[in-house]
Amino acid sequence: MFHKIRKVFRAQQPAPSAPKRAHNLFEAASAYVAACADDDQEGIEEARGWVSPEALSFGVSELACRAVIALARERDESPNDVARSLLGLPAA
């Protein structure tokens, strides 16, 4: 009888969950930008919840800078030319 009671009691308790790991701003920025590129609204909302809006903004800005620098090196162009090209702006 006690076995049945324990079984019912255990079934009502929530399963222990793994502790949530805190995400840093670069993980949030990476996930956010990737979700935006994939038009994944659920992923966007999830990444938004990982850090403050200010931290996310900083991370996205840092990611943009690093991406422009990497593309500029790859294309052997100036970062300004690459940034303008990515945004569809005429060459300066």
Side-chain angles (χ1 to χ4, degrees):
M1 178 162 167
F2 289 114
H3 176 70
K4 288 181 181 181
I5 294 172
R6 272 185 284 189
K7 199 174 187 181
V8 170
F9 180 70
R10 284 186 187 147
Q12 292 175 349
Q13 290 180 335
S17 61
K20 289 189 175 186
R21 184 180 69 80
H23 297 278
N24 70 38
L25 66 101
F26 296 115
E27 288 175 319
S30 175
Y32 179 81
V33 170
C36 286
D38 289 338
D39 197 25
D40 175 12
Q41 193 61 40
E42 187 176 304
I44 291 169
E45 293 303 321
E46 181 181 354
R48 278 184 180 161
W50 291 351
V51 294
S52 72
E54 295 82 10
L56 183 60
S57 176
F58 174 79
V60 168
S61 177
E62 185 66 23
L63 178 59
C65 290
R66 292 180 188 195
V68 167
I69 290 168
L71 281 173
R73 288 179 182 157
E74 188 178 290
R75 296 179 180 181
D76 197 26
E77 298 177 8
S78 74
N80 186 47
D81 290 344
V82 170
R84 293 182 69 81
S85 171
L86 289 172
L87 293 171
L89 299 173

